[in-house]
Amino acid sequence: MSTEEELRAMAAQLAQLAATLPDGAPERALCLQGEAQALSLLSGRLWRGGDLAGAEAALDRALALAPSRARRIRRALLLPAVPDSRAAILDARTALRDRLIALAGEQGPAIDAAEIGWTLFLLAYHAELDNRDLYRLFHLIAAQADPALPWTAPLVRAPRRGGRPRIGILSWHFVPHTIAHLFGGLLEALDGTRFEITILGFEGRTAALEDLDLAGKRVLALPAALPEARRQIAALELDLLLYLDLGMDFLTLFLAQARLARTQAVTWGHPDSTGLDSIDVFLSPDCMEPENGASQYCERLVRLPGLLAVYPRPAPPSPGKSRAALGLPDQGFLYLCPQTPYKFHPDFDTALIRILRGVEGSHLILTAGWEQAAMRRVAGRLLAQAPDLAPRLHILGPLPRADFLTLFQHAGLVLDPFHYSGGNTSLEAFACGSPILTWPGASMRARHTAGFYRLMEIKELIARDHDHYIEQAIHLGTTPNRLEELRGEILKRNAVLFNNHDSIPAFEDFIMDCL
């Protein structure tokens, strides 16, 4: 993958070459198209680093060089990856709605929706309960631009062919990714003799399936092309098509506009309603859903026992690396928040600042992975409010999984972000016995960690509100003996989180109900 510097250089070189060629020359047109493509890729790079203004400017330049319906749609979808404040989020959502409404009436030649190359997945991080209208506007615009998207496979209207129930389970993320970690065990656990199961990945993106025991199940690597992928899925004549996640990648989101199976469902890989009429059911762990959870989905909510994720217990390294070897400070209490930059809602800033100021000599450890630039913007937002905390804020780069798990052994307390809880990361922490402080918000995506605690029957680390969260974090940061007791309690009770098949009978009953 090209770096930001390489893309800038490529665009500049093509611009220089185009300037030497006469207007109307085919070679000049090719140079301008190439420059526009480089700028489009650069826009994505800048956006991922949290530079929204730079991303917009690069895409605007690409549009000026090579106008394109797909690029206009993508330009409308750009949102700040690291918003400055709650007010900035609300302003961005209002502006997004205005841009989408303006696009909804646009006429023009049809395109392949895959050219848009973008989704609205960031809406789920905004702490706004209802994103459905914005999603629906986006789906409408995509379908207007690519009328093939809402296609219905012939099997849907035909009598069902006999035989075992035919199930397809689809994701773009059967690679080293949270989705593969969360749901690999589910793929193994389903009964391949009772059901005809096809696991649907994509060409070049099925590496995570190679280590699974998938006896009796078929793996089909789809092409990354919407028409052919639709055709191959429809040919399976599925009774149920389950998307493990929808919203994070554009290809599966656009596939999901089509009716490719008699029943189509999604689960909590990306924990938000899809806004798609073509998705019938949202399968969710009951332990995570609020009482009014059904009102937050356009899909029919089906609550399942357990987690649906049959999650294998990670093995913490023993012994792990020292604090110094991991780049951690030698002294002081360590608060750890090992989440993606997008989960750091501005509402969380005040809590982090008050916690650090409440425990003298404490440190906050952030794990940026490959998203260093975006996490630096999160840190910059925090330090703009509390510059005195700069020596106590630490950002770690990419870590091997063994080193990542070792962080939990050194951390005194893991802090779960407001509004969007840890999922895979919380399970990894609990495998190490690490206490996580959490506040369960109003939506399922803010209640993953609280749901894990419900299964373990542990209440002390679930805060009542934001102030209680801060009080608890400060209290636990100054009472190491109590933290050790909680660590022991988690280790004693965490077996319910791992290799747990409680969801499987209920899920298989759901499959039979779909027939």
Side-chain angles (χ1 to χ4, degrees):
M1 184 181 293
S2 300
T3 66
E4 179 182 326
E5 292 74 18
E6 289 169 340
L7 290 168
R8 288 187 188 278
M10 187 185 306
Q13 290 167 2
L14 288 165
Q16 290 170 1
L17 181 56
T20 67
L21 299 169
D23 289 345
E27 295 84 357
R28 186 173 190 274
L30 286 174
C31 287
L32 294 177
Q33 287 283 356
E35 182 186 356
Q37 181 61 20
L39 288 167
S40 294
L41 294 171
L42 175 62
S43 173
R45 276 282 179 165
L46 293 170
W47 175 87
R48 279 187 286 275
D51 183 1
L52 178 63
E56 290 173 334
L59 202 49
D60 286 342
R61 175 62 180 157
L63 275 165
L65 291 169
S68 151
R69 189 174 188 179
R71 286 195 184 108
R72 283 195 298 277
I73 295 172
R74 180 169 176 167
R75 175 64 176 82
L77 301 178
L78 288 181
L79 288 166
V82 182
D84 292 330
S85 64
R86 174 173 275 273
I89 290 174
L90 297 176
D91 289 345
R93 291 172 70 94
T94 299
L96 170 67
R97 180 183 295 278
D98 291 344
R99 294 194 299 268
L100 293 177
I101 289 172
L103 277 175
E106 181 175 301
Q107 303 293 319
I111 64 169
D112 179 347
E115 296 172 20
I116 298 169
W118 212 255
T119 76
L120 286 175
F121 83 98
L122 279 181
L123 293 180
Y125 298 88
H126 285 173
E128 300 296 323
L129 288 183
D130 201 342
N131 297 314
R132 288 171 288 187
D133 286 348
L134 289 171
Y135 289 145
R136 286 183 178 118
L137 267 174
F138 173 40
H139 300 323
L140 171 66
I141 290 162
Q144 288 174 339
D146 185 348
L149 288 183
W151 178 69
T152 297
L155 77 103
V156 174
R157 299 189 179 96
R160 182 184 181 276
R161 178 167 58 86
R164 292 177 295 162
R166 290 177 289 279
I167 315 304
I169 302 176
L170 186 149
S171 179
W172 176 254
H173 298 293
F174 291 135
V175 290
H177 187 276
T178 292
I179 298 302
H181 288 314
L182 280 175
F183 296 107
L186 170 68
L187 303 181
E188 292 183 314
L190 291 173
D191 187 347
T193 62
R194 184 181 182 190
F195 305 105
E196 186 178 317
I197 298 171
T198 303
I199 299 164
L200 297 159
F202 289 85
E203 292 172 354
R205 296 188 61 85
T206 58
L209 300 176
E210 295 171 5
D211 296 328
L212 301 179
D213 179 4
L214 300 176
K217 296 150 193 167
R218 176 189 180 192
V219 174
L220 176 59
L222 299 166
L226 289 168
E228 181 59 18
R230 282 193 295 261
R231 188 195 68 77
Q232 291 190 24
I233 297 170
L236 298 173
E237 299 187 23
L238 297 173
D239 296 300
L240 170 67
L241 175 56
L242 173 64
Y243 292 89
L244 295 179
D245 57 284
L246 278 176
M248 290 189 288
D249 70 279
F250 61 88
L251 198 67
T252 59
L253 186 64
F254 292 143
L255 271 178
Q257 284 211 34
R259 171 64 65 174
L260 302 174
R262 289 179 170 82
T263 300
Q264 302 193 146
V266 66
T267 190
W268 61 285
H270 184 61
D272 198 6
S273 179
T274 64
L276 285 167
D277 293 336
S278 51
I279 300 298
D280 307 300
V281 173
F282 197 107
L283 296 166
S284 186
D286 181 60
C287 63
M288 297 179 187
E289 285 291 344
E291 187 174 339
N292 68 339
S295 67
Q296 299 178 21
Y297 298 93
C298 62
E299 306 84 0
R300 177 170 65 92
L301 176 64
V302 172
R303 300 170 184 253
L304 296 176
L307 299 175
L308 192 59
V310 182
Y311 195 84
R313 180 189 288 273
S318 180
K321 290 182 179 178
S322 67
R323 283 169 66 142
L326 291 171
L328 302 173
D330 291 333
Q331 302 293 325
F333 186 85
L334 300 184
Y335 291 103
L336 173 64
C337 193
Q339 300 295 341
T340 177
Y342 314 130
K343 289 190 179 183
F344 285 78
H345 191 282
D347 288 353
F348 196 37
D349 293 358
T350 300
L352 294 174
I353 291 167
R354 287 176 59 187
I355 290 165
L356 286 177
R357 285 181 171 161
V359 179
E360 186 177 354
S362 61
H363 298 267
L364 176 62
I365 311 301
L366 307 178
T367 56
W370 299 105
E371 297 169 320
Q372 292 274 320
M375 189 60 86
R376 284 195 295 270
R377 287 183 176 264
V378 171
R381 194 180 67 199
L382 282 165
L383 295 178
Q385 303 167 68
D388 56 300
L389 296 179
R392 296 161 60 190
L393 186 61
H394 310 268
I395 300 175
L396 302 183
L399 294 170
R401 195 180 191 206
D403 289 354
F404 184 77
L405 292 174
T406 302
L407 288 179
F408 296 116
Q409 298 174 343
H410 292 300
L413 182 64
V414 179
L415 299 176
D416 206 26
F418 294 167
H419 307 309
Y420 204 123
S421 177
N424 180 69
T425 304
S426 293
L427 289 168
E428 291 174 320
F430 286 139
C432 300
S434 292
I436 306 174
L437 183 63
T438 191
W439 169 71
S443 64
M444 181 265 285
R445 57 188 170 274
R447 304 168 71 90
H448 298 162
T449 302
F452 301 146
Y453 277 133
R454 283 182 65 186
L455 294 179
M456 290 190 287
E457 299 183 348
I458 293 174
K459 297 180 179 179
E460 182 175 340
L461 290 155
I462 302 175
R464 295 187 301 271
D465 52 38
H466 290 187
D467 285 338
H468 186 228
Y469 182 103
I470 295 165
E471 292 166 8
Q472 283 284 82
I474 293 171
H475 170 69
L476 292 169
T478 55
T479 52
N481 290 342
R482 182 57 189 146
L483 277 174
E484 281 306 305
E485 291 170 357
L486 287 167
R487 187 179 290 271
E489 193 72 13
I490 290 167
L491 288 171
K492 184 169 69 175
R493 294 171 176 261
N494 68 7
V496 71
L497 302 179
F498 304 110
N499 301 304
N500 186 323
H501 287 62
D502 286 353
S503 297
I504 301 304
F507 178 52
E508 293 185 343
D509 287 346
F510 164 76
I511 294 172
M512 298 307 296
D513 289 343
C514 291
L515 300 183

